[in-house]
Amino acid sequence: MSSQIVNATRMTPTEAAPETTAFWPRDLVSIRDLSPQEVRAVLDLASLIKQRPADFRGALAGKQMVLFFEKPSLRTRLTFEAGMASLGGVSFFVDQTASHLGARESLSDIAHNLERWVNVLVLRTFDHATVETMAAHACIPVINALSDVEHPCQALADYFTLQERFGDLRKISVAYVGDGNNVAHSLLLTCAHLGSTIRMATPQGYEPAAQVVADAREIARETGARIELGCDPEAAVRGADAVYTDTWTSMGQERQVAERMAAFAPYQINEDLMHGAADHAVFMHCLPAHRGAEVTDAVIDSPRAVVFDQAENRMHVQKAILVLLLGGGMSRFPGRNAHA
Ligand code: CP
Ligand code: NVA
């Protein structure tokens, strides 16, 4: 089943259109929802969309997307909204930062309302279970736009950025230095699907979740990926093709900021640490960055940094995800674009 998706996304847009969604999973809650072939299909379709955006201009005409965000966002909100507009669809943003989803009425009731009005639901939540519950109840696709456990769209865009830069992802290694958080989890799982190598250095007590590591290792047994965990930033970075970090204090953890600043201080990405990476190594960050904390100005402002490529690619990758989830035809297949 998955090979049909891969084959379809390597064709021209018109050839690809009828096949792209036939077997696609209904939701994107976790990178675990995808197979290795499906992860590759996202990257392949994103590449096609990035190269030939005009061919996809009407792909989601008549489709409607709603975003409920319990946390702030610059990149995720705007890349979803701009991406949907460029595919011909429309978006509605619901600012949920003042009260959590489910506080006013049950998640299942919200889901059963939304599925009557719109075609896809994009959620940024504190609790991963909120995304899972909405996905379980809604009969429209649900996309995780960041929860406390995962940030799947980010990791897919990051590996797309690495593929653009280095080509074969099986030949490169990423050093992730910092918190074993939502971004780290999605990177681990995406790396595993793609047969790549990741070396992670996290302070004691801030390791990635054991279940995510176990799942990534299980996928890696199939794909040949290498997952190495430790606590030494220099060992992780040695010879790496990319050095990645994220904030030390994620949204929702603000009360822990003092203890986290102390625990993570030896994990800062600075020029000294970058010297241990390959000469051609890039610096990556999902943003927003806390300059002077997890990364110095000298590194993030250097030519090695690809942080704005990552930010741009969020849009191309999310457009691919929306087309795959919503069964978007291309502009030359207007009949496929009728409102469901
Ligand atoms: N990287 C990312 O998700 O950024 P926002 O929090 O601004 O959406
Ligand atoms: N780990 C960060 C990612 C922000 C895009 C957070 O959850 O706040």
Side-chain angles (χ1 to χ4, degrees):
M1 80 177 188
S2 303
S3 61
Q4 293 189 37
I5 298 171
V6 174
N7 292 340
T9 55
R10 289 200 174 130
M11 296 174 189
T12 65
T14 39
E15 286 165 335
E19 302 294 339
T20 43
T21 57
F23 302 104
W24 191 256
R26 214 191 57 192
D27 303 301
L28 179 54
V29 174
S30 161
I31 293 288
R32 283 173 279 207
D33 294 343
L34 306 177
S35 67
Q37 292 86 350
E38 287 163 342
V39 169
R40 276 198 205 91
V42 173
L43 305 196
D44 287 349
L45 185 57
S47 176
L48 198 58
I49 288 173
K50 185 172 180 176
Q51 286 166 47
R52 297 161 62 174
D55 285 353
F56 293 83
R57 212 159 269 153
L60 296 186
K63 301 289 186 191
Q64 309 196 81
M65 172 177 73
V66 67
L67 305 103
F68 280 81
F69 278 32
E70 292 180 343
K71 298 174 179 175
S73 172
L74 175 69
R75 281 148 292 272
T76 308
R77 175 181 177 176
L78 287 170
T79 51
F80 265 110
E81 290 184 345
M84 189 59 161
S86 73
L87 293 167
V90 296
S91 309
F92 307 99
F93 182 78
V94 183
D95 181 351
Q96 204 68 44
T97 54
S99 86
H100 292 192
L101 262 169
R104 183 163 175 259
E105 58 187 314
S106 76
L107 292 175
S108 62
D109 283 355
I110 297 172
H112 294 314
N113 278 266
L114 294 169
E115 68 193 15
R116 301 291 180 108
W117 306 324
V118 299
N119 305 98
V120 59
L121 181 50
V122 180
L123 299 178
R124 171 166 283 201
T125 64
F126 283 93
D127 189 351
H128 189 71
T130 303
V131 189
E132 291 179 325
T133 306
M134 291 292 274
H137 288 284
C139 68
I140 53 173
V142 171
I143 300 175
N144 179 357
L146 182 148
S147 68
D148 57 338
V149 178
E150 271 205 60
H151 197 359
C153 301
Q154 180 70 52
L156 290 166
D158 295 337
Y159 272 94
F160 179 75
T161 305
L162 286 164
Q163 184 171 271
E164 279 187 319
R165 172 71 57 146
F166 294 113
D168 190 349
L169 293 168
R170 289 167 304 182
K171 294 187 178 151
I172 64 152
S173 63
V174 173
Y176 179 95
V177 176
D179 191 14
N181 62 15
N182 44 8
V183 170
H185 290 161
S186 292
L187 288 171
L188 276 174
L189 292 162
T190 307
C191 167
H193 278 311
L194 290 165
S196 194
T197 296
I198 193 161
R199 291 198 294 271
M200 213 165 252
T202 54
Q204 206 176 3
Y206 297 97
E207 298 89 354
Q211 186 59 57
V212 174
V213 174
D215 290 345
R217 291 209 157 119
E218 191 183 331
I219 298 164
R221 275 195 284 279
E222 266 180 58
T223 63
R226 292 175 62 192
I227 312 279
E228 296 170 17
L229 306 183
C231 56
D232 180 350
E234 285 173 15
V237 162
R238 201 167 297 132
D241 300 289
V243 178
Y244 196 125
T245 194
D246 182 17
T247 182
W248 294 338
T249 306
S250 286
M251 293 179 279
Q253 298 173 333
E254 289 78 6
R255 272 183 286 182
Q256 303 168 24
V257 69
E259 68 203 63
R260 284 175 167 271
M261 287 293 276
F264 284 98
Y267 290 78
Q268 183 187 64
I269 310 293
N270 50 40
E271 285 176 301
D272 277 352
L273 192 63
M274 285 299 290
H275 280 139
D279 288 344
H280 60 254
V282 296
F283 169 73
M284 304 181 78
H285 194 305
C286 57
L287 304 179
H290 304 81
R291 291 161 173 267
E294 74 267 12
V295 61
T296 59
D297 285 340
V299 171
I300 198 169
D301 293 332
S302 75
R304 285 172 179 262
V306 294
V307 297
F308 302 120
D309 295 334
Q310 293 172 259
E312 176 187 342
N313 286 334
R314 292 290 305 277
M315 184 174 73
H316 305 301
V317 164
Q318 287 157 203
K319 285 171 73 173
I321 293 165
L322 288 169
V323 168
L324 288 163
L325 289 177
L326 294 179
M330 309 308 149
S331 37
R332 279 177 265 176
F333 284 86
R336 291 173 57 80
N337 296 331
H339 194 293

